[in-house]
Amino acid sequence: MSPTALSPSKPGAAAAAVADPRPDDGATRRMAPVQPRTMVDQAAEAIVAAATSGAFLPGARLVEAEIARDLGISRVPVREALRLLESQGIVVSTPYKGMRLMQVTNQGVAELTRVRTALESLAVREIVAAGGGEARLAAARRAAAVHEAQLAGGDLAAIIGADVVFHGELCRASGNAVLHALWSSLARQLAVVWGLGQGALRGEDLVAEHHRLLDHLAKGDAPGALTALEGHLAWQEMFDFEDAIEARKRAGR
């Protein structure tokens, strides 16, 4: 498949407030003020979105100059974005071969899925232990609604991005910051994998599964929620990702 032109990511939720750059007590700052999303962050998101939508297939070379040209920015933020993605396992740097998108194998996806399942199962148990309820799940409900709306739009990268946000909010609802941070560290790898698996499930089935899981959690039904989660994730164990990659390569010839 020939890479298509990249486009910068759309702005998401409001960025974190910027701290007042002038300490009112005259003390020397130990840390830099929090900044809004940088061009590096946006370039990284655009690269992942392109991989999610199939513009880059696993193992494809990522050429810094070409990405910078497509995004309409200089090569410096692209270079930093690629280094960031390398630290997250999305990009692999090989001597004399440059940067390439992560390889995806059935075994690798199985390993990733087991870790992801363990984290989300723990999130389910901690949500129920905290009493469940709609108030705790409000952000996840909103994310589920956004995912459903994106399905109607048909933008694959936006659909996958919304699905990632939903599962991230599910983990955030656990109240366990370590759990959420660990899940977030896998999010971009999951996005690439999910992009390859599009079509394995119908959009309406995914929507129904999201709502079923949230309904069980709202009622504090741990067994029901865990069963719903298990059913929701089961497709990844049955899907042949290596075959999907080869089919896309053939289609691109």
Side-chain angles (χ1 to χ4, degrees), residues 190-203:
L190 289 169
V192 173
V193 167
W194 294 352
L196 292 168
Q198 283 306 291
L201 291 176
R202 298 185 306 167

Side-chain angles (χ1 to χ4, degrees), residues 40 56-57 59 84 108 117 126 141 146 155 175 185 195 215 226 253:
V40 172
F56 297 128
L57 289 178
L84 172 62
T117 300
E126 296 208 359
R141 287 282 190 193
V146 170
D155 182 330
S185 71
D215 290 344
L226 288 169
R253 288 174 184 166

Side-chain angles (χ1 to χ4, degrees), residues 92-113:
V92 177
S93 177
T94 305
Y96 310 111
K97 293 184 179 179
M99 295 283 197
R100 294 182 181 273
L101 188 65
M102 60 184 268
Q103 292 286 357
V104 174
T105 64
N106 290 332
Q107 179 180 342
V109 173
E111 293 170 354
L112 180 63
T113 300

Side-chain angles (χ1 to χ4, degrees), residues 120-139:
E120 293 193 29
S121 296
L122 178 58
V124 163
R125 290 193 292 271
E126 296 208 359
I127 290 169
V128 172
E134 288 293 350
R136 179 174 288 272
L137 298 170

